Amino acid sequence: ARWGEADRLGEAAVRLFEARRHKDALGPARRKLAIRLELAGHWHPASANSLFTVASNLHGLGDLAAARPLYAEVATVTRRLL
């Protein structure tokens, strides 16, 4: 049930991102990330994807200082998973 909730939150975040509503997308993106981390842990591909969604929305808001470390963490997780 919680995994499905995260899926729905992710879909909402993507729709808002595509509409360039980055501020509105951050809430669902962060909730999705929290659920993924709780259920799958930090080193799971779904958690990395969720982290990327948060970073992308911060980037879209022009908050590169907040987005950069998240992008770096996505790269670290992705390298470890390969």
Side-chain angles (χ1 to χ4, degrees), residues 3-24:
W3 196 268
E5 178 185 354
D7 287 341
R8 289 185 293 281
L9 289 165
E11 290 164 6
V14 168
R15 281 193 303 277
L16 291 164
F17 177 87
E18 289 173 347
R20 300 188 190 280
R21 294 175 53 195
H22 305 294
K23 188 174 183 177
D24 295 330

PDB file of all heavy atoms in Angstrom, residues 3-24:
ATOM      1  N   TRP A   3       3.980   1.505  -1.021  1.00  0.00           N
ATOM      2  CA  TRP A   3       4.715   1.606  -2.284  1.00  0.00           C
ATOM      3  C   TRP A   3       3.820   2.244  -3.354  1.00  0.00           C
ATOM      4  O   TRP A   3       4.258   3.096  -4.109  1.00  0.00           O
ATOM      5  CB  TRP A   3       5.198   0.224  -2.726  1.00  0.00           C
ATOM      6  CG  TRP A   3       6.263   0.302  -3.772  1.00  0.00           C
ATOM      7  CD1 TRP A   3       6.084   0.281  -5.123  1.00  0.00           C
ATOM      8  CD2 TRP A   3       7.664   0.426  -3.553  1.00  0.00           C
ATOM      9  NE1 TRP A   3       7.292   0.377  -5.762  1.00  0.00           N
ATOM     10  CE2 TRP A   3       8.281   0.457  -4.823  1.00  0.00           C
ATOM     11  CE3 TRP A   3       8.460   0.501  -2.419  1.00  0.00           C
ATOM     12  CZ2 TRP A   3       9.660   0.581  -4.980  1.00  0.00           C
ATOM     13  CZ3 TRP A   3       9.830   0.612  -2.579  1.00  0.00           C
ATOM     14  CH2 TRP A   3      10.413   0.646  -3.848  1.00  0.00           C
ATOM     15  N   GLY A   4       2.569   1.834  -3.384  1.00  0.00           N
ATOM     16  CA  GLY A   4       1.610   2.420  -4.317  1.00  0.00           C
ATOM     17  C   GLY A   4       1.376   3.895  -4.040  1.00  0.00           C
ATOM     18  O   GLY A   4       1.216   4.693  -4.974  1.00  0.00           O
ATOM     19  N   GLU A   5       1.357   4.263  -2.766  1.00  0.00           N
ATOM     20  CA  GLU A   5       1.227   5.677  -2.408  1.00  0.00           C
ATOM     21  C   GLU A   5       2.407   6.469  -2.966  1.00  0.00           C
ATOM     22  O   GLU A   5       2.238   7.559  -3.522  1.00  0.00           O
ATOM     23  CB  GLU A   5       1.158   5.834  -0.887  1.00  0.00           C
ATOM     24  CG  GLU A   5       1.078   7.265  -0.422  1.00  0.00           C
ATOM     25  CD  GLU A   5       1.139   7.405   1.099  1.00  0.00           C
ATOM     26  OE1 GLU A   5       1.134   6.382   1.819  1.00  0.00           O
ATOM     27  OE2 GLU A   5       1.200   8.552   1.558  1.00  0.00           O
ATOM     28  N   ALA A   6       3.600   5.908  -2.836  1.00  0.00           N
ATOM     29  CA  ALA A   6       4.791   6.571  -3.372  1.00  0.00           C
ATOM     30  C   ALA A   6       4.700   6.697  -4.895  1.00  0.00           C
ATOM     31  O   ALA A   6       5.083   7.730  -5.460  1.00  0.00           O
ATOM     32  CB  ALA A   6       6.052   5.811  -2.965  1.00  0.00           C
ATOM     33  N   ASP A   7       4.183   5.665  -5.546  1.00  0.00           N
ATOM     34  CA  ASP A   7       3.990   5.738  -7.003  1.00  0.00           C
ATOM     35  C   ASP A   7       3.068   6.893  -7.372  1.00  0.00           C
ATOM     36  O   ASP A   7       3.358   7.663  -8.295  1.00  0.00           O
ATOM     37  CB  ASP A   7       3.398   4.436  -7.545  1.00  0.00           C
ATOM     38  CG  ASP A   7       4.389   3.292  -7.577  1.00  0.00           C
ATOM     39  OD1 ASP A   7       5.617   3.540  -7.535  1.00  0.00           O
ATOM     40  OD2 ASP A   7       3.923   2.129  -7.636  1.00  0.00           O
ATOM     41  N   ARG A   8       1.952   7.014  -6.655  1.00  0.00           N
ATOM     42  CA  ARG A   8       0.990   8.093  -6.932  1.00  0.00           C
ATOM     43  C   ARG A   8       1.605   9.464  -6.675  1.00  0.00           C
ATOM     44  O   ARG A   8       1.407  10.403  -7.451  1.00  0.00           O
ATOM     45  CB  ARG A   8      -0.287   7.889  -6.127  1.00  0.00           C
ATOM     46  CG  ARG A   8      -1.129   6.715  -6.634  1.00  0.00           C
ATOM     47  CD  ARG A   8      -2.456   6.595  -5.915  1.00  0.00           C
ATOM     48  NE  ARG A   8      -2.315   6.238  -4.505  1.00  0.00           N
ATOM     49  CZ  ARG A   8      -2.075   5.018  -4.045  1.00  0.00           C
ATOM     50  NH1 ARG A   8      -1.937   4.010  -4.886  1.00  0.00           N
ATOM     51  NH2 ARG A   8      -1.983   4.786  -2.744  1.00  0.00           N
ATOM     52  N   LEU A   9       2.356   9.578  -5.588  1.00  0.00           N
ATOM     53  CA  LEU A   9       3.034  10.838  -5.296  1.00  0.00           C
ATOM     54  C   LEU A   9       4.037  11.180  -6.391  1.00  0.00           C
ATOM     55  O   LEU A   9       4.157  12.339  -6.804  1.00  0.00           O
ATOM     56  CB  LEU A   9       3.736  10.760  -3.940  1.00  0.00           C
ATOM     57  CG  LEU A   9       2.824  10.759  -2.729  1.00  0.00           C
ATOM     58  CD1 LEU A   9       3.594  10.298  -1.488  1.00  0.00           C
ATOM     59  CD2 LEU A   9       2.211  12.128  -2.514  1.00  0.00           C
ATOM     60  N   GLY A  10       4.749  10.173  -6.866  1.00  0.00           N
ATOM     61  CA  GLY A  10       5.715  10.391  -7.938  1.00  0.00           C
ATOM     62  C   GLY A  10       5.054  10.852  -9.218  1.00  0.00           C
ATOM     63  O   GLY A  10       5.560  11.749  -9.901  1.00  0.00           O
ATOM     64  N   GLU A  11       3.925  10.245  -9.550  1.00  0.00           N
ATOM     65  CA  GLU A  11       3.201  10.656 -10.752  1.00  0.00           C
ATOM     66  C   GLU A  11       2.738  12.101 -10.639  1.00  0.00           C
ATOM     67  O   GLU A  11       2.838  12.872 -11.597  1.00  0.00           O
ATOM     68  CB  GLU A  11       2.012   9.728 -10.988  1.00  0.00           C
ATOM     69  CG  GLU A  11       2.421   8.329 -11.406  1.00  0.00           C
ATOM     70  CD  GLU A  11       1.315   7.302 -11.285  1.00  0.00           C
ATOM     71  OE1 GLU A  11       0.159   7.679 -10.971  1.00  0.00           O
ATOM     72  OE2 GLU A  11       1.602   6.111 -11.487  1.00  0.00           O
ATOM     73  N   ALA A  12       2.263  12.479  -9.457  1.00  0.00           N
ATOM     74  CA  ALA A  12       1.837  13.865  -9.240  1.00  0.00           C
ATOM     75  C   ALA A  12       3.026  14.813  -9.361  1.00  0.00           C
ATOM     76  O   ALA A  12       2.923  15.872  -9.999  1.00  0.00           O
ATOM     77  CB  ALA A  12       1.182  14.011  -7.870  1.00  0.00           C
ATOM     78  N   ALA A  13       4.156  14.433  -8.776  1.00  0.00           N
ATOM     79  CA  ALA A  13       5.348  15.277  -8.840  1.00  0.00           C
ATOM     80  C   ALA A  13       5.818  15.461 -10.285  1.00  0.00           C
ATOM     81  O   ALA A  13       6.197  16.563 -10.677  1.00  0.00           O
ATOM     82  CB  ALA A  13       6.466  14.680  -7.985  1.00  0.00           C
ATOM     83  N   VAL A  14       5.761  14.410 -11.083  1.00  0.00           N
ATOM     84  CA  VAL A  14       6.175  14.508 -12.483  1.00  0.00           C
ATOM     85  C   VAL A  14       5.236  15.428 -13.263  1.00  0.00           C
ATOM     86  O   VAL A  14       5.684  16.267 -14.046  1.00  0.00           O
ATOM     87  CB  VAL A  14       6.259  13.107 -13.134  1.00  0.00           C
ATOM     88  CG1 VAL A  14       6.386  13.200 -14.645  1.00  0.00           C
ATOM     89  CG2 VAL A  14       7.429  12.332 -12.548  1.00  0.00           C
ATOM     90  N   ARG A  15       3.935  15.278 -13.043  1.00  0.00           N
ATOM     91  CA  ARG A  15       2.974  16.162 -13.734  1.00  0.00           C
ATOM     92  C   ARG A  15       3.237  17.626 -13.390  1.00  0.00           C
ATOM     93  O   ARG A  15       3.243  18.490 -14.266  1.00  0.00           O
ATOM     94  CB  ARG A  15       1.540  15.784 -13.380  1.00  0.00           C
ATOM     95  CG  ARG A  15       1.009  14.583 -14.124  1.00  0.00           C
ATOM     96  CD  ARG A  15      -0.504  14.449 -13.982  1.00  0.00           C
ATOM     97  NE  ARG A  15      -0.955  14.373 -12.600  1.00  0.00           N
ATOM     98  CZ  ARG A  15      -0.970  13.264 -11.861  1.00  0.00           C
ATOM     99  NH1 ARG A  15      -0.553  12.121 -12.383  1.00  0.00           N
ATOM    100  NH2 ARG A  15      -1.397  13.283 -10.618  1.00  0.00           N
ATOM    101  N   LEU A  16       3.469  17.889 -12.119  1.00  0.00           N
ATOM    102  CA  LEU A  16       3.739  19.262 -11.692  1.00  0.00           C
ATOM    103  C   LEU A  16       5.073  19.754 -12.250  1.00  0.00           C
ATOM    104  O   LEU A  16       5.189  20.908 -12.671  1.00  0.00           O
ATOM    105  CB  LEU A  16       3.717  19.350 -10.166  1.00  0.00           C
ATOM    106  CG  LEU A  16       2.334  19.149  -9.545  1.00  0.00           C
ATOM    107  CD1 LEU A  16       2.448  18.864  -8.052  1.00  0.00           C
ATOM    108  CD2 LEU A  16       1.454  20.352  -9.804  1.00  0.00           C
ATOM    109  N   PHE A  17       6.077  18.888 -12.258  1.00  0.00           N
ATOM    110  CA  PHE A  17       7.375  19.257 -12.845  1.00  0.00           C
ATOM    111  C   PHE A  17       7.212  19.622 -14.310  1.00  0.00           C
ATOM    112  O   PHE A  17       7.730  20.637 -14.770  1.00  0.00           O
ATOM    113  CB  PHE A  17       8.366  18.090 -12.685  1.00  0.00           C
ATOM    114  CG  PHE A  17       9.696  18.344 -13.328  1.00  0.00           C
ATOM    115  CD1 PHE A  17      10.699  18.991 -12.620  1.00  0.00           C
ATOM    116  CD2 PHE A  17       9.963  17.944 -14.630  1.00  0.00           C
ATOM    117  CE1 PHE A  17      11.929  19.236 -13.202  1.00  0.00           C
ATOM    118  CE2 PHE A  17      11.186  18.180 -15.223  1.00  0.00           C
ATOM    119  CZ  PHE A  17      12.181  18.831 -14.499  1.00  0.00           C
ATOM    120  N   GLU A  18       6.497  18.789 -15.040  1.00  0.00           N
ATOM    121  CA  GLU A  18       6.298  19.042 -16.476  1.00  0.00           C
ATOM    122  C   GLU A  18       5.529  20.332 -16.719  1.00  0.00           C
ATOM    123  O   GLU A  18       5.714  20.973 -17.758  1.00  0.00           O
ATOM    124  CB  GLU A  18       5.593  17.857 -17.124  1.00  0.00           C
ATOM    125  CG  GLU A  18       6.494  16.637 -17.214  1.00  0.00           C
ATOM    126  CD  GLU A  18       5.783  15.391 -17.688  1.00  0.00           C
ATOM    127  OE1 GLU A  18       4.535  15.362 -17.723  1.00  0.00           O
ATOM    128  OE2 GLU A  18       6.497  14.414 -17.997  1.00  0.00           O
ATOM    129  N   ALA A  19       4.686  20.725 -15.770  1.00  0.00           N
ATOM    130  CA  ALA A  19       3.945  21.986 -15.868  1.00  0.00           C
ATOM    131  C   ALA A  19       4.778  23.156 -15.324  1.00  0.00           C
ATOM    132  O   ALA A  19       4.276  24.267 -15.224  1.00  0.00           O
ATOM    133  CB  ALA A  19       2.628  21.880 -15.106  1.00  0.00           C
ATOM    134  N   ARG A  20       6.029  22.872 -14.977  1.00  0.00           N
ATOM    135  CA  ARG A  20       6.954  23.869 -14.421  1.00  0.00           C
ATOM    136  C   ARG A  20       6.466  24.441 -13.084  1.00  0.00           C
ATOM    137  O   ARG A  20       6.748  25.577 -12.746  1.00  0.00           O
ATOM    138  CB  ARG A  20       7.252  24.977 -15.416  1.00  0.00           C
ATOM    139  CG  ARG A  20       7.889  24.472 -16.690  1.00  0.00           C
ATOM    140  CD  ARG A  20       8.350  25.625 -17.561  1.00  0.00           C
ATOM    141  NE  ARG A  20       8.739  25.185 -18.879  1.00  0.00           N
ATOM    142  CZ  ARG A  20       9.904  24.632 -19.197  1.00  0.00           C
ATOM    143  NH1 ARG A  20      10.794  24.422 -18.264  1.00  0.00           N
ATOM    144  NH2 ARG A  20      10.174  24.280 -20.432  1.00  0.00           N
ATOM    145  N   ARG A  21       5.743  23.616 -12.355  1.00  0.00           N
ATOM    146  CA  ARG A  21       5.252  23.996 -11.027  1.00  0.00           C
ATOM    147  C   ARG A  21       6.145  23.322  -9.973  1.00  0.00           C
ATOM    148  O   ARG A  21       5.699  22.513  -9.177  1.00  0.00           O
ATOM    149  CB  ARG A  21       3.787  23.610 -10.879  1.00  0.00           C
ATOM    150  CG  ARG A  21       2.878  24.397 -11.818  1.00  0.00           C
ATOM    151  CD  ARG A  21       1.450  23.947 -11.760  1.00  0.00           C
ATOM    152  NE  ARG A  21       0.938  23.953 -10.387  1.00  0.00           N
ATOM    153  CZ  ARG A  21      -0.184  23.324 -10.032  1.00  0.00           C
ATOM    154  NH1 ARG A  21      -0.905  22.663 -10.932  1.00  0.00           N
ATOM    155  NH2 ARG A  21      -0.596  23.364  -8.791  1.00  0.00           N
ATOM    156  N   HIS A  22       7.420  23.692 -10.024  1.00  0.00           N
ATOM    157  CA  HIS A  22       8.435  23.025  -9.206  1.00  0.00           C
ATOM    158  C   HIS A  22       8.175  23.158  -7.709  1.00  0.00           C
ATOM    159  O   HIS A  22       8.381  22.206  -6.962  1.00  0.00           O
ATOM    160  CB  HIS A  22       9.824  23.556  -9.558  1.00  0.00           C
ATOM    161  CG  HIS A  22      10.138  23.428 -11.006  1.00  0.00           C
ATOM    162  ND1 HIS A  22      10.274  22.211 -11.626  1.00  0.00           N
ATOM    163  CD2 HIS A  22      10.295  24.359 -11.974  1.00  0.00           C
ATOM    164  CE1 HIS A  22      10.535  22.395 -12.904  1.00  0.00           C
ATOM    165  NE2 HIS A  22      10.543  23.694 -13.145  1.00  0.00           N
ATOM    166  N   LYS A  23       7.721  24.320  -7.279  1.00  0.00           N
ATOM    167  CA  LYS A  23       7.450  24.514  -5.848  1.00  0.00           C
ATOM    168  C   LYS A  23       6.341  23.573  -5.385  1.00  0.00           C
ATOM    169  O   LYS A  23       6.441  22.961  -4.320  1.00  0.00           O
ATOM    170  CB  LYS A  23       7.073  25.965  -5.579  1.00  0.00           C
ATOM    171  CG  LYS A  23       6.953  26.301  -4.123  1.00  0.00           C
ATOM    172  CD  LYS A  23       6.719  27.797  -3.920  1.00  0.00           C
ATOM    173  CE  LYS A  23       6.666  28.114  -2.441  1.00  0.00           C
ATOM    174  NZ  LYS A  23       6.510  29.552  -2.209  1.00  0.00           N
ATOM    175  N   ASP A  24       5.299  23.447  -6.203  1.00  0.00           N
ATOM    176  CA  ASP A  24       4.193  22.544  -5.866  1.00  0.00           C
ATOM    177  C   ASP A  24       4.627  21.078  -5.919  1.00  0.00           C
ATOM    178  O   ASP A  24       4.092  20.242  -5.198  1.00  0.00           O
ATOM    179  CB  ASP A  24       3.013  22.757  -6.814  1.00  0.00           C
ATOM    180  CG  ASP A  24       2.379  24.128  -6.672  1.00  0.00           C
ATOM    181  OD1 ASP A  24       2.417  24.695  -5.557  1.00  0.00           O
ATOM    182  OD2 ASP A  24       1.850  24.638  -7.666  1.00  0.00           O
TER     183      ASP A  24
END
